[in-house]
């Protein structure tokens, strides 16, 4: 994941290729440019029909005015569109679900368990994406996992893969681990390398994460 809107088309393709070289099976691109459709068309042609593409709008759209724009993305066979609207805009999410050609994912900006349950119970979303730092840490993440299983909704972490993957992987509803290169793997003593498109998980007890203090101090200095 990343696919920032600031990237040129060539940079976007190169970033996607870097992940594909690791065997990663999906890539997420940001929405919010006038040429969104052209970029997605070029990316889809580049990766082929069988590669998973996701899109992330970061809640930039509001209401009915943008529903046709989102519906027009159907030609790109997206795995999901993430946060197309504000998470509290349930009436327009209902309208969007009727015209959107793909699944809806959200959850990274949720803090409250009641809100998580309301959305999961609503049937409006297909993928819930809790953020470890916002949903109450490990205990909160476990609770959201329980809710996802209760309401039969898929779950994917939001970033922080080394801190989240061991926990998320235990869920029967886990579909993907979201991975980015923003947090250097050298910060961790454990092996979180990507092999054949899969993130290596520690086998030690607990979350399985230990920080490499020396590397962190070197980077900060």
């Amino acid at each position: 994941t990343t696919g920032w809107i600031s990237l040129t088309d060539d940079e976007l393709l190169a970033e996607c290729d870097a992940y594909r070289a690791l065997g990663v099976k999906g890539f997420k691109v940001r929405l919010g440019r006038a040429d969104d459709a052209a970029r997605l068309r070029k990316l889809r042609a580049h990766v082929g029909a069988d590669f998973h593409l996701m899109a992330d709008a970061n809640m930039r759209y509001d209401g009915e005015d943008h529903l046709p724009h989102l519906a027009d993305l159907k030609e790109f066979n997206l795995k999901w569109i993430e946060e197309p609207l504000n998470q509290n805009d349930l009436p327009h999410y209902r309208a969007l679900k009727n015209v959107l050609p793909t699944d809806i994912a959200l959850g990274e900006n949720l803090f409250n368990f009641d809100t998580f349950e309301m959305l999961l119970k609503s049937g409006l979303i297909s993928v819930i994406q809790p953020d470890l730092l916002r949903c109450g840490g490990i205990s909160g993440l476990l609770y959201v996992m329980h809710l996802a299983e209760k309401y039969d909704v898929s779950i994917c972490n939001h970033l922080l893969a080394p801190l989240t993957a061991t926990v998320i992987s235990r869920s029967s509803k886990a579909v993907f681990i979201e991975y980015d290169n923003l947090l250097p793997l050298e910060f961790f003593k454990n092996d979180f390398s990507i092999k054949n498109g899969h993130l290596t998980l520690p086998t030690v007890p607990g979350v399985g994460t230990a920080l490499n203090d020396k590397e962190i101090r070197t980077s900060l200095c």
Side-chain angles (χ1 to χ4, degrees), residues 13 17 32 42 56 93 106-107 112 148 163 185 188 196 203-204:
L13 298 183
D17 282 344
K42 184 177 291 187
D56 189 349
Y93 265 112
L106 60 83
N112 184 288
L163 302 177
L185 294 182
F188 303 95
N196 298 319
T203 57
V204 296

Side-chain angles (χ1 to χ4, degrees), residues 165-186:
T166 303
V167 182
I168 285 284
S169 69
R170 304 310 301 162
S171 173
S172 63
K173 301 305 297 179
V175 287
F176 282 102
I177 294 294
E178 183 176 52
Y179 171 81
D180 68 272
N181 56 9
L182 302 177
L183 197 61
L185 294 182
E186 293 77 19

Side-chain angles (χ1 to χ4, degrees), residues 145-207:
M145 286 168 53
H146 164 72
L147 291 176
E149 291 165 0
K150 176 181 177 181
Y151 293 106
D152 195 26
V153 174
S154 297
I155 188 168
C156 174
N157 63 302
H158 174 249
L159 305 183
L160 300 175
L163 302 177
T164 311
T166 303
V167 182
I168 285 284
S169 69
R170 304 310 301 162
S171 173
S172 63
K173 301 305 297 179
V175 287
F176 282 102
I177 294 294
E178 183 176 52
Y179 171 81
D180 68 272
N181 56 9
L182 302 177
L183 197 61
L185 294 182
E186 293 77 19
F187 281 8
F188 303 95
K189 293 181 180 179
N190 316 91
D191 178 14
F192 288 104
S193 58
I194 298 176
K195 299 172 183 175
N196 298 319
H198 293 79
L199 188 71
T200 304
L201 295 181
T203 57
V204 296
V207 179

Side-chain angles (χ1 to χ4, degrees), residues 30-70:
R30 312 290 164 156
L31 300 176
R33 291 172 45 143
D35 62 345
D36 279 341
R39 278 161 64 84
L40 281 169
R41 190 172 295 112
K42 184 177 291 187
L43 187 58
R44 173 54 78 196
H46 183 70
V47 300
D50 296 330
F51 189 78
H52 293 302
L53 289 180
M54 299 83 156
D56 189 349
N58 294 114
M59 298 192 295
R60 69 175 62 253
Y61 302 118
D62 4 73
E64 296 177 2
D65 291 344
H66 293 101
L67 298 188
H69 169 70
L70 293 168

